[in-house]
Amino acid sequence: IASTQAVHGGPSRSVPLLCEALAGQAENVRLVTTTPAADADTTSLRPSEPVQTRTAETSQGPDRLLRTPVSFYRTLRDEIERTPPDLLHDHGLWLPSNIIAALVSRQYGIPLVISTRGMLTSWALRHHRWKKRLAWWAYQRWVLRQASLFHVTSQEEVDQLRRLSFNQPAAVIPNGVPLPEPNRSETSDGEARRALFLSRLHPKKGLPMLLQAWAEVRPEGWTLELVGPSEEGHRAELETQARRLELNGQVHFAGPVSDDEKWDVYRRADLFVLPTHSENFGIVVAEAWAADVPVLTTTGTPWQELETHDCGWWVAPEPEAIREALATALRQSDATRDAMGRRGRE
């Protein structure tokens, strides 16, 4: 995987957990990733023993586009020559590390498993569209052709691979998340209720729609907490929107939290909201349920179970649908929302 930095989203969490779980089944698992430069955010989520982690140094100089891939290639090559593996499992797309994994797999004749991680969805392909078109014809199509197997977390990813004419076998295996001890904070009469968003502040997450919906509903006795790292300067855009909508005091922005701290953040919430345009899995949905919190998210995620098991709301990623679902969720009684959260955990 290119990075296990906490700011880089779901795979930086799910891949180390997957490594630990496989090691717990007596598999010999090794992880190759990068070490961030000294001036970068160095909060990394590394797997514990007995998983061995090898790191390739990144470069921040003008020659970084060459030096970082070369460093990653050497690190991966040396690890494979030291002890040849039965398979190579590569995570993500559109990055130099993915090219390196495909090259090394071909060079040493090692079966390659590729986890697409939601990076071929329609929304993802439209984001930075022209860059991705160039990358598609330059290398990404070739990389995907090298896969012996695709690992995906939902059927939607399989369908997209087939539309793009990739017919290799695909294994649909959802992510797992830790299941903490239930310890929800009880809300007393008169206390403010909390709606929580916990993820990257990124255009994909649909937060402008959520702020607009919150401004239209303006629920009394509620606050909205946006927790997570900002990407592409998106937090500043959201703060400007919140001021324009006169949401001062109703919406609170927080930075990223550690994996140890996040469970307390979840437990303090009365509702979890993920208004995303597109997710291959949405690991935060599973985490919210694990903490007994009901969820409002969109059909951009594969979580139809929200409706099947009556543990939240699953609506179109459109402003009106989000506003109506938000209004419905906020007017439920505490007992109703608590029961929905418990069903989610079950």
Side-chain angles (χ1 to χ4, degrees), residues 23-222:
Q25 298 297 314
E27 299 294 342
N28 185 342
V29 183
R30 291 171 285 161
L31 177 65
V32 175
T33 185
T34 59
T35 300
D39 60 345
D41 179 354
T42 57
T43 303
S44 293
L45 305 168
R46 300 297 177 85
S48 59
E49 296 291 341
V51 179
Q52 301 174 43
T53 300
R54 287 287 304 277
T55 56
E57 294 289 340
T58 60
S59 173
Q60 292 298 303
D63 56 351
R64 66 185 182 278
L65 293 179
L66 176 63
R67 294 188 59 173
T68 297
V70 168
S71 176
F72 196 90
Y73 170 79
R74 288 173 175 167
T75 302
L76 182 58
R77 179 202 60 192
D78 292 348
E79 188 65 22
I80 284 173
E81 290 184 345
R82 183 172 66 86
T83 307
D86 296 304
L87 64 84
L88 183 60
H89 190 176
D90 186 40
H91 297 266
L93 304 175
W94 311 112
L95 296 170
S97 61
N98 308 126
I99 307 173
I100 298 305
L103 287 170
V104 170
S105 166
R106 188 178 180 91
Q107 178 182 356
Y108 290 90
I110 300 167
L112 177 66
V113 179
I114 293 179
S115 290
T116 54
R117 296 292 176 182
M119 297 179 185
L120 288 176
T121 65
S122 297
W123 190 95
L125 292 175
R126 289 195 303 269
H127 191 57
H128 299 315
R129 179 180 179 184
W130 292 109
K131 287 183 180 180
K132 286 178 178 172
R133 281 196 173 187
L134 288 172
W136 181 258
W137 294 107
Y139 65 86
Q140 189 58 72
R141 186 176 60 160
W142 176 85
V143 168
L144 290 167
R145 293 282 180 215
Q146 308 312 305
S148 301
L149 172 75
F150 292 113
H151 161 230
V152 296
T153 57
S154 67
Q155 182 60 38
E156 288 86 345
E157 288 189 278
V158 180
D159 296 341
Q160 183 64 12
L161 283 165
R162 300 306 181 232
R163 283 192 290 269
L164 293 169
S165 300
F166 296 103
N167 296 314
Q168 300 101 308
V172 182
I173 307 173
N175 291 323
V177 299
L179 194 63
E181 288 299 318
N183 187 24
R184 280 290 311 280
S185 300
E186 296 294 333
T187 302
S188 303
D189 289 342
E191 288 187 14
R193 272 62 174 170
R194 298 179 178 89
L196 171 68
F197 167 90
L198 192 158
S199 191
R200 295 175 297 148
L201 305 187
H202 185 279
K204 182 178 82 166
K205 303 298 180 177
L207 289 169
M209 294 189 295
L210 177 57
L211 291 182
Q212 183 63 44
W214 197 270
E216 293 176 11
V217 174
R218 291 196 183 270
E220 186 176 352
W222 281 83

Side-chain angles (χ1 to χ4, degrees), residues 279-294:
E279 301 286 335
N280 68 304
F281 185 73
I283 198 167
V284 289
V285 172
E287 290 178 344
W289 276 345
D292 280 340
V293 183

